[in-house]
Amino acid sequence: ICINGPGARQSHSARVAAGYSPQVGTLFASQASEAVALNRGIVAADSEFIAFLDADDVWHRDKQRAQVELLTSDTTLDAATCVTENFSVNPDGSVHGLNSHESALIAATTFRGRTFERFGLFDESASHFQWLYRWWARARRNGIATASINVIGLHRRVHGKNSWTQHRSQGLKELHAELRQSLKAKRHGPSRGESPSR
């Protein structure tokens, strides 16, 4: 587990992870962005498959089993995705489902470890709203092979502190800029020999 942000060592996630030691190792990137923290985790991982989960989201209990089975049954696949369900928690503690959709969110996907060797790490110079789209755009230009388990695997919590809730207009502006760049790159053909972004 790689925990980032101010107070990472004193966070709830750090306390939970400590309870699983030594089976679970913990890395800290207190002043680092999400992309930096994820890259550190990828580099440190020594496993055939890599998956990610934000502290405020929840995996369906069968997500990992189903995605690993899909990747195991088809060795040509680089990653397995799933359907994401957005939900909120009401003041009384009850859960309210919002909507669901097929998703390539980072927490909805299980990757082969070698996928990041083939398509590079996340671009650490990208903004919070750019890094994931930028990685997927590059990987798709270079032929990444994916498939979905076609069921809800990730429950994504929507709340007042979500970056999209707080900065939606900025996020859309930056994603539109990324889309324009991606379309421009696509018009110029496959990006052969693209170097991994750090």
Side-chain angles (χ1 to χ4, degrees):
I1 294 176
C2 187
I3 304 171
N4 70 316
R9 292 181 181 275
Q10 291 75 42
S11 67
H12 173 71
S13 296
R15 293 194 297 272
V16 171
Y20 291 91
S21 179
Q23 289 85 0
V24 175
T26 307
L27 303 173
F28 296 98
S30 299
Q31 304 304 317
S33 68
E34 187 173 3
V36 171
L38 292 170
N39 284 343
R40 289 188 184 180
I42 292 166
V43 171
D46 182 20
S47 59
E48 183 177 358
F49 305 107
I50 296 177
F52 308 91
L53 181 63
D54 290 343
D56 54 354
D57 297 336
V58 181
W59 280 340
H60 187 280
R61 63 185 180 184
D62 291 329
K63 169 190 178 291
Q64 285 305 103
R65 177 193 58 77
Q67 289 184 328
V68 168
E69 285 181 356
L70 177 58
L71 292 169
T72 302
S73 67
D74 187 345
T75 58
T76 68
L77 293 175
D78 299 298
T81 60
C82 68
V83 175
T84 290
E85 178 187 58
N86 292 314
F87 74 95
S88 62
V89 179
N90 298 318
D92 64 0
S94 60
V95 175
H96 175 61
L98 299 174
N99 53 66
S100 59
H101 53 88
E102 181 59 40
S103 174
L105 287 172
I106 193 74
T109 309
T110 297
F111 301 86
R112 293 190 193 278
R114 72 183 189 216
T115 299
F116 296 101
E117 297 174 7
R118 294 185 61 199
F119 302 105
L121 297 176
F122 300 114
D123 187 346
E124 296 175 5
S125 70
S127 77
H128 176 77
F129 297 104
Q130 294 173 322
W131 62 267
L132 181 58
Y133 181 91
R134 187 172 294 181
W135 187 89
W136 274 113
R138 184 177 70 235
R140 284 170 177 147
R141 288 196 304 270
N142 285 282
I144 189 171
T146 68
S148 175
I149 59 174
N150 297 315
V151 295
I152 294 172
L154 173 68
H155 303 278
R156 177 178 173 269
R157 183 179 177 185
V158 176
H159 52 80
K161 293 184 178 180
N162 285 132
S163 57
W164 273 104
T165 301
Q166 295 180 316
H167 309 290
R168 183 176 179 81
S169 60
Q170 179 64 26
L172 289 172
K173 179 180 177 181
E174 293 182 7
L175 279 182
H176 288 158
E178 283 295 306
L179 178 58
R180 288 192 294 270
Q181 285 295 108
S182 179
L183 291 173
K184 182 179 178 181
K186 190 174 182 179
R187 284 196 299 269
H188 288 86
S191 50
R192 296 176 184 173
E194 234 178 12
S195 59
S197 298
R198 290 302 300 271

